[in-house]
Amino acid sequence: MPREVAELVAAAKDGDREAFDELVRVTYADTYTLAYRLTGNEEDARDVVQEAYLRAFRGVRSFRGDAQFSTWMYRITANCAATHLGRRNRHRHDELDESSPVADPRPDHDPQLWADADDMRGRLRTALDALPPRLRSVVILRDVYDLPHEAIAAELGISESAAKVRLHRARNRLRDQLFGRRQGETRAG
């Protein structure tokens, strides 16, 4: 048998495709057994064997014959198995239980919350722009710049009580514009 394998290898190195096919038939059982032992799975073993013979076919011309063809095939098979198992482990996905949360619960990672917040910011900007300047300035100074009522009054040249009244009116208008009035509700303003 070894003499026959040596002749097949020599013919395959010269480009004889049938000789290489015969080498596959002669060595397949041992190559598959090794692949199966390395992977522990029939499907993975078949994939590894296919890749190993593909590599052997591409590299048979460089086979020097220092070792037996079967030893060379075992090295190729072991390398293919290591590559395959590494790839499989990198792309392995654990099964999720029905009770496992799928979404990221952190609000800063929720695209729907981001979209809703962007929508609300746009609506708020539009509502602020619709306010008369005297009301808009009070809301911005208080709710954006966090100034106290007395600083707002000093900044705008009005009394502190006027600043409070304007802030109250501005917030009511914003609330009405953003959320609408509830049925039957009236606001003085």
Side-chain angles (χ1 to χ4, degrees), residues 28-42:
Y28 185 85
D30 292 336
T31 303
Y32 175 81
T33 300
L34 174 62
Y36 181 77
R37 286 184 177 153
L38 293 172
T39 62
N41 177 303
E42 287 181 29

Side-chain angles (χ1 to χ4, degrees), residues 1-121:
M1 182 103 152
R3 183 173 175 95
E4 181 181 311
V5 170
E7 290 170 5
L8 290 171
V9 169
K13 285 178 74 166
D14 288 338
D16 185 345
R17 175 70 191 257
E18 289 180 20
F20 188 81
D21 290 346
E22 186 60 30
L23 276 172
V24 171
R25 280 190 284 280
V26 169
T27 59
Y28 185 85
D30 292 336
T31 303
Y32 175 81
T33 300
L34 174 62
Y36 181 77
R37 286 184 177 153
L38 293 172
T39 62
N41 177 303
E42 287 181 29
E43 186 176 325
D44 289 340
R46 284 192 295 271
D47 290 344
V48 165
V49 169
Q50 182 175 2
E51 179 64 26
Y53 279 117
L54 183 61
R55 287 185 190 180
F57 179 75
R58 290 178 182 152
V60 73
R61 291 180 195 262
S62 65
F63 176 68
R64 293 188 314 258
D66 296 342
Q68 292 183 1
F69 181 79
S70 59
T71 304
W72 186 64
M73 270 313 298
Y74 292 160
R75 259 196 324 267
I76 293 172
T77 305
N79 288 337
C80 288
T83 301
H84 183 80
L85 290 172
R87 191 178 311 125
R88 183 181 72 184
N89 287 337
R90 254 192 323 273
H91 297 292
R92 192 185 93 215
H93 302 287
D94 295 329
E95 293 295 320
L96 293 175
D97 295 346
E98 291 294 323
S99 62
S100 297
V102 176
D104 189 340
R106 298 173 293 184
D108 57 330
H109 289 88
D110 185 343
Q112 183 63 47
L113 287 177
W114 277 94
D116 291 347
D118 281 345
D119 180 52
M120 180 56 83
R121 273 191 292 276

Side-chain angles (χ1 to χ4, degrees), residues 137-166:
S137 59
V138 174
V139 168
I140 290 174
L141 291 173
R142 177 68 186 127
D143 293 337
V144 175
Y145 291 98
D146 202 27
L147 294 180
H149 296 291
E150 59 192 69
I152 295 169
E155 183 73 30
L156 298 176
I158 58 176
S159 70
E160 190 175 333
S161 60
K164 290 178 182 179
V165 168
R166 287 183 186 182

